Amino acid sequence: MTLKKRFAFCLLLLCQIILAQHDSVTKLKEVVVSDTNLKNFSNTQSVQRLSDSLINKNQASLTSLLNYNTVIYFKENGLGMTSSPSFRGTTSQQTVVVWNGININSQLLGQTDFNTISTRSFNSIDVKAGGGSVVYGSGAIGGTIHLNNELKFTDTFKNDLQINYGDFNTLSAIYGITAATKKISLDVSFTRNSSDNDFKFVGQEGRNTNGQYYNNVLDVAFGYKINTTNSIKLYSQVYDGERHFSLTSPNATKTKYQDYNTRNLLTWTSSFSKFNSNLKLAYITEHYNYFEDIKRDGFTSGGVKSFIGKYDIDYELSSKIKVSTILDYTKNSGIGSGIGKSSREIGGVSVLFKHMLTEKWNYEISGRKEISDVYKSPILFSVGSRYNFSDFYQFKLNLSRNYRVPTFNDLYWEGSGNPDLRPESSYQAEIGNQFKYKNLRLSITGYAMKIKDMIRWLPNNSGNWSPVNTDKVSIYGAEALLGWQKNVNKHTFDFSGTYAYTVSLDDTTNKQLFYVPYHKLTGSLSYYYKKLSAYYQIMYTGEIFTTSDNNPKYILDAYNVSNVGIDYNFSKKKICKIGFKVANLWNEKYEALPSRFMPGRNLSIYLNLNY
């Protein structure tokens, strides 16, 4: 590491660790929040909000945004390739992506590919650490990522055009329209991301080959206020993408993967007396085609169609006590080359209770039970409390039980599926400490977790691989978020960042789970002056084991990647912004998975028009 790298790293350690935008969800005036349960029943856990201004600073993929601004580690098969998270030392299937209040993890794989999520069409993105299965269902063990389309009911009409072009013929463009009155609100956007992705490897011969990709996303959010007590909202998203998977050797067979996903959600919100109700009807589809050899016509395919019905009703027993009941029903119908034709149904009921004992002290209790035609679900619960000792210090405590159900592939894969699998379950405890002094905010959270019945694919007596409930895992660690902002005349300085220390041990071997780094740190230093803004980002990831026995021969080295950007508004009303960004400023050689090298230093320029 050069002297410049060391200086930049130490600078960010000293100023550091941002609360990348506070440990709470702020209630906005004249805005319809798409996920009311996150706002109302997450007071005892850590919720980090990433605002639209922060979203626009980063690359369009959800992987990039979260990699540089949160404690989550990502296993990425190269730039734009498949990407899966490890949140608090858990597996990729144990983090849930929530789209406007609906769990959208794949029913085939049990996870979301974070490189298939384009961030630019969302108003805000929330990261909630810790268990959330009572509200968000299967997989919400390590944490949940919330993608929010928030509708504003104020007289508005605006256009937004963002174009980003960079090395490797990389293009990211979005055009959006927002039109609203006091009764109607409409947001429509179209996003295009593509790249030849043919970068040269850093420090060695060769170039990334067969790595080209593209994706198109259409987003629509519509709201209508029928009267003062009733409103309807419609959210719709269509995703179409294709990726050629990068080769790990010159002679490897070229492959590609196509995704086509749709998400549709209709909600009806009603208020009467002390009751508030929210009915949600969702229809979600996922479909893939995998070409094992792009020179041949044959391919494998699969897909799932999901219908979700969810009814929330809140009742205010008093100004200090709120009770919420959630009834939900899900039907998944899958068909594919490996799973044949399969289906399952799940019904569930959740009860959530919140009590403000005093202005400084509240607590929350919630429970959930599911009934399924495929598996037996455990009784889930969450208990938490928050106490404000002073304006300077706030204390949080939360205990929860969470779970993850087997996927369609686990249950039904032809010749290998195991219909007798039990859901994974976990117990988790966390203690949060939040400090606030003038412009400084610091949040420190410690946690511990026990997971049993982990599902692993292992060879059986006949030599075939099949999923079984085997592992027990013990996890503990700490997370820190710090933010500080200072205004000096017309100059604004902003320091932000995160740090995570994670121990995730297999109880049988007492070894760290592979692809879980002990240390991860991110930081950002921003500067604003009139129409000029600039920023410097850093992401440090400690060494990573790639085998279950923690063999030192197969450790991925720690890496430290930095980005820098600057932009300028050329119009008086800040309509036109032009800027550039240098990614991997110090040309670091790094890989998040073996032989999956990431790009070296690369440049992009961007244009934003708001009118």
Side-chain angles (χ1 to χ4, degrees):
M1 185 181 290
T2 67
L3 181 62
K4 289 182 179 180
K5 291 184 186 179
R6 293 179 184 274
F7 175 75
F9 189 59
C10 292
L11 173 66
L12 283 165
L13 279 174
L14 290 172
C15 53
Q16 236 238 27
I17 303 173
I18 106 183
L19 199 146
Q21 285 353 275
H22 301 283
D23 187 27
S24 62
V25 179
T26 304
K27 185 177 180 180
L28 304 176
K29 295 181 179 180
E30 298 181 303
V31 171
V32 174
V33 180
S34 57
D35 189 354
T36 56
N37 288 319
L38 176 68
K39 177 173 70 74
N40 293 330
F41 293 98
S42 297
N43 294 320
T44 65
Q45 293 178 281
S46 172
V47 180
Q48 180 185 2
R49 166 149 290 199
L50 308 179
S51 65
D52 55 355
S53 60
L54 187 64
I55 292 171
N56 291 333
K57 277 184 180 179
N58 291 268
Q59 293 179 1
S61 73
L62 187 58
T63 298
S64 176
L65 174 69
L66 299 181
N67 231 351
Y68 283 94
N69 295 283
T70 73
V71 298
I72 305 172
Y73 164 72
F74 283 90
K75 296 165 284 187
E76 200 170 3
N77 281 280
L79 183 65
M81 303 296 102
T82 55
S83 173
S84 56
S86 175
F87 200 164
R88 285 190 170 180
T90 61
T91 67
S92 54
Q93 292 91 350
Q94 293 167 345
T95 295
V96 163
V97 175
V98 180
W99 173 73
N100 293 308
I102 299 295
N103 183 332
I104 61 169
N105 274 25
S106 168
Q107 297 300 314
L108 293 169
L109 302 175
Q111 66 186 69
T112 295
D113 184 342
F114 281 61
N115 273 337
T116 65
I117 302 292
S118 181
T119 61
R120 299 285 166 78
S121 57
F122 300 106
N123 307 100
S124 64
I125 295 174
D126 296 309
V127 179
K128 186 175 83 68
S133 290
V134 169
V135 177
Y136 300 108
S138 171
I141 296 176
T144 51
I145 313 300
H146 300 258
L147 312 176
N148 310 310
N149 293 110
E150 296 169 347
L151 292 168
K152 297 181 180 181
F153 288 90
T154 56
D155 292 329
T156 304
F157 183 81
K158 67 176 184 178
N159 296 270
D160 183 20
L161 175 64
Q162 302 176 36
I163 301 176
N164 187 305
Y165 183 79
D167 285 335
F168 330 127
N169 194 29
T170 301
L171 172 69
S172 176
I174 178 171
Y175 174 67
I177 297 176
T178 300
T181 66
K182 293 180 180 180
K183 290 182 68 74
I184 296 176
S185 183
L186 175 66
D187 275 347
V188 180
S189 67
F190 176 78
T191 305
R192 166 77 178 189
N193 299 297
S194 64
S195 178
D196 291 345
N197 206 16
D198 56 349
F199 56 88
K200 292 182 178 180
F201 296 136
V202 177
Q204 64 183 49
E205 295 294 328
R207 182 183 291 271
N208 191 48
T209 54
N210 197 56
Q212 62 267 36
Y213 65 85
Y214 77 83
N215 58 70
N216 303 309
V217 186
L218 176 65
D219 274 283
V220 178
F222 172 78
Y224 175 64
K225 287 188 174 182
I226 301 172
N227 51 42
T228 57
T229 58
N230 291 272
S231 63
I232 58 173
K233 281 87 68 179
L234 172 66
Y235 305 94
S236 185
Q237 184 181 81
V238 178
Y239 175 93
D240 174 50
E242 179 177 289
R243 288 173 290 180
H244 290 230
F245 289 150
S246 300
L247 304 184
T248 56
S249 66
N251 297 323
T253 303
K254 293 183 178 181
T255 63
K256 71 177 181 180
Y257 194 88
Q258 296 172 338
D259 297 273
Y260 184 78
N261 306 320
T262 67
R263 299 171 185 126
N264 301 279
L265 171 64
L266 177 66
T267 73
W268 175 25
T269 304
S270 181
S271 301
F272 49 97
S273 185
K274 294 185 178 181
F275 290 91
N276 292 289
S277 69
N278 190 357
L279 174 64
K280 295 185 177 183
L281 300 175
Y283 181 67
I284 298 173
T285 70
E286 55 178 296
H287 183 82
Y288 77 89
N289 294 325
Y290 174 63
F291 295 79
E292 191 172 2
D293 186 344
I294 62 174
K295 294 181 179 180
R296 299 180 180 179
D297 294 332
F299 60 88
T300 58
S301 64
V304 176
K305 297 178 181 179
S306 300
F307 170 79
I308 302 170
K310 192 172 183 180
Y311 182 64
D312 303 7
I313 185 164
D314 300 336
Y315 178 64
E316 291 187 2
L317 291 171
S318 68
S319 60
K320 296 183 178 180
I321 299 178
K322 176 180 285 188
V323 179
S324 179
T325 301
I326 304 174
L327 303 174
D328 58 79
Y329 168 79
T330 301
K331 182 175 182 179
N332 307 123
S333 300
I335 187 169
S337 303
I339 63 173
K341 189 174 182 180
S342 309
S343 66
R344 67 182 176 194
E345 297 179 75
I346 304 169
V349 57
S350 302
V351 178
L352 297 80
F353 178 86
K354 181 167 69 174
H355 185 193
M356 295 289 298
L357 290 168
T358 68
E359 291 184 357
K360 294 185 177 181
W361 188 14
N362 72 32
Y363 67 91
E364 300 172 350
I365 301 174
S366 57
R368 176 176 175 83
K369 177 59 180 175
E370 286 187 356
I371 298 175
S372 172
D373 61 341
V374 178
Y375 57 86
K376 293 182 179 179
S377 171
I379 296 176
L380 309 175
F381 69 85
S382 177
V383 179
S385 183
R386 181 182 69 179
Y387 189 83
N388 295 320
F389 284 90
S390 65
D391 292 338
F392 173 71
Y393 175 60
Q394 181 184 95
F395 174 82
K396 296 182 179 183
L397 173 67
N398 186 270
L399 305 172
S400 64
R401 186 183 187 185
N402 305 281
Y403 82 123
R404 183 182 78 85
V405 303
T407 67
F408 268 69
N409 287 357
D410 293 331
L411 295 169
Y412 307 122
W413 193 262
E414 186 176 356
S416 300
N418 181 358
D420 297 322
L421 287 172
R422 299 180 300 276
E424 300 173 347
S425 66
S426 76
Y427 290 93
Q428 184 170 166
E430 63 179 88
I431 295 176
N433 304 274
Q434 185 170 319
F435 305 89
K436 181 180 178 182
Y437 179 71
K438 294 183 178 179
N439 297 322
L440 178 69
R441 288 182 173 86
L442 172 65
S443 174
I444 300 175
T445 302
Y447 63 88
M449 191 186 320
K450 293 286 288 186
I451 303 176
K452 70 174 184 177
D453 290 330
M454 287 273 286
I455 298 173
R456 292 183 63 195
W457 282 69
L458 298 174
N460 54 31
N461 294 332
S462 60
N464 293 326
W465 288 73
S466 181
V468 291
N469 295 104
T470 56
D471 290 354
K472 294 183 179 180
V473 177
S474 298
I475 302 173
Y476 62 90
E479 299 163 350
L481 310 171
L482 172 71
W484 181 77
Q485 188 178 84
K486 180 68 174 179
N487 296 317
V488 181
N489 296 325
K490 295 182 180 181
H491 303 270
T492 300
F493 301 88
D494 192 325
F495 298 105
S496 62
T498 70
Y499 171 73
Y501 172 71
T502 308
V503 177
S504 184
L505 300 175
D506 185 315
D507 285 357
T508 303
T509 64
N510 203 35
K511 300 289 187 180
Q512 179 87 342
L513 293 190
F514 50 91
Y515 298 113
V516 177
Y518 286 111
H519 305 280
K520 187 193 173 186
L521 179 149
T522 72
S524 176
L525 167 62
S526 301
Y527 167 74
Y528 305 92
Y529 175 70
K530 294 183 178 179
K531 298 179 181 181
L532 177 71
S533 66
Y535 63 92
Y536 179 85
Q537 293 177 317
I538 190 171
M539 176 185 64
Y540 172 81
T541 302
E543 64 180 18
I544 302 162
F545 296 112
T546 63
T547 58
S548 58
D549 62 356
N550 292 180
N551 190 326
K553 294 182 180 179
Y554 304 106
I555 291 177
L556 292 180
D557 293 334
Y559 52 86
N560 176 17
V561 185
S562 298
N563 305 322
V564 64
I566 187 170
D567 57 56
Y568 186 81
N569 267 300
F570 282 88
S571 60
K572 292 182 179 181
K573 295 183 179 181
K574 297 185 178 181
I575 294 175
C576 177
K577 179 191 292 185
I578 297 177
F580 72 89
K581 176 180 179 179
V582 181
N584 196 357
L585 178 65
W586 308 112
N587 207 34
E588 180 88 349
K589 178 182 179 181
Y590 73 104
E591 51 189 330
L593 287 171
S595 302
R596 298 291 186 179
F597 294 100
M598 300 297 288
R601 184 187 300 112
N602 60 93
L603 173 69
S604 61
I605 57 175
Y606 54 89
L607 167 69
N608 292 354
L609 296 176
N610 295 279
Y611 56 94

